[in-house]
Amino acid sequence: MPYRGMVLAAVLLILVSSVLQLVGPLATAVALDLFIRPFDEQPQTMSPMSRWVESEIARQGWEVSAAQGLGVVALVYLGALFLTFFVLYWQGYLMQMMGQHIRFDMRRDIYRHLHGLPLAYFDRNPVGRLVTRVTNDVDALNELFTAGIVAIVGDVLLLVGIMGVLFWMDWRLALVSFAIIPLLAMLTI
């Protein structure tokens, strides 16, 4: 495969962007559980991420006020947003570059094939239609590979990550949330 390095880099960037997109909800859970919730609330209602952050704060011996904690959570959230932007930018750039190379190679190979055909073939098929087919079909394939498949893979990875985080945070609530999936599958079929 001539584009193995580009494909591996794109897959890596898709994985990183999917993980970074999960930081926002986790940071929100930490902010709500540790710095916004009423102090008389039961600690067992906290998410596992909040418990981990709370244990790290205690282990380090830090005294963190609600305002300081919210500020740190906001910085983490903004940092994740900026990193997500840069990762998605480079992912798009890489996919477009790979698409341009693939489009060039496909057009070159198709035109090379067309040049090798006998002249009688061109008597039966209009040249304008052939060129239009070559141009439009290669563009459609390029769009499929650079946008369609990447979006599907990225969305599937993000959904799997969301499902994993939901089960990690509260498996009972996750099961209740996913109870509607069989009904949706039946309605879809």
Side-chain angles (χ1 to χ4, degrees):
M1 177 191 272
Y3 306 107
R4 182 175 291 140
M6 287 181 162
V7 170
L8 289 175
V11 168
L12 179 67
L13 289 173
I14 290 171
L15 287 171
V16 170
S17 71
S18 295
V19 169
L20 285 172
Q21 290 179 38
L22 295 173
V23 171
L26 292 173
T28 303
V30 169
L32 290 172
D33 288 343
L34 296 181
F35 306 114
I36 296 177
R37 73 178 167 98
F39 291 108
D40 59 347
E41 193 171 309
Q42 296 295 325
Q44 62 262 22
T45 61
M46 287 195 308
S47 69
M49 178 59 82
S50 299
R51 282 193 212 110
W52 179 78
V53 169
E54 188 177 50
S55 69
E56 283 299 310
I57 290 172
R59 189 173 70 81
Q60 297 293 334
W62 294 333
E63 291 292 324
V64 180
S65 69
Q68 290 171 330
L70 285 174
V72 169
V73 169
L75 287 176
V76 167
Y77 185 74
L78 285 174
L81 283 177
F82 283 121
L83 281 174
T84 302
F85 169 76
F86 286 115
V87 167
L88 290 175
Y89 170 81
W90 284 108
Q91 173 192 332
Y93 178 80
L94 182 65
M95 292 305 297
Q96 289 300 321
M97 287 298 295
M98 187 171 60
Q100 293 295 322
H101 289 294
I102 291 171
R103 183 187 312 186
F104 174 77
D105 290 344
M106 286 177 64
R107 283 187 178 159
R108 184 190 61 218
D109 293 344
I110 291 171
Y111 282 123
R112 194 175 288 156
H113 174 74
L114 285 174
H115 282 278
L117 292 174
L119 290 177
Y121 179 80
F122 296 104
D123 289 337
R124 292 186 310 266
N125 297 298
V127 175
R129 186 175 62 102
L130 291 173
V131 171
T132 302
R133 290 291 305 247
V134 167
T135 304
N136 292 338
D137 290 353
V138 169
D139 285 342
L141 284 172
N142 180 51
E143 185 66 28
L144 170 72
F145 287 119
T146 58
I149 292 176
V150 172
I152 290 171
V153 170
D155 290 345
V156 167
L157 287 174
L158 183 61
L159 284 175
V160 167
I162 289 170
M163 290 172 65
V165 168
L166 281 175
F167 275 106
W168 177 60
M169 291 179 79
D170 189 352
W171 64 271
R172 294 175 300 254
L173 184 59
L175 287 178
V176 170
S177 299
F178 298 137
I180 196 157
I181 290 177
L183 175 65
L184 289 175
M186 286 187 335
L187 290 174
T188 302
I189 293 172

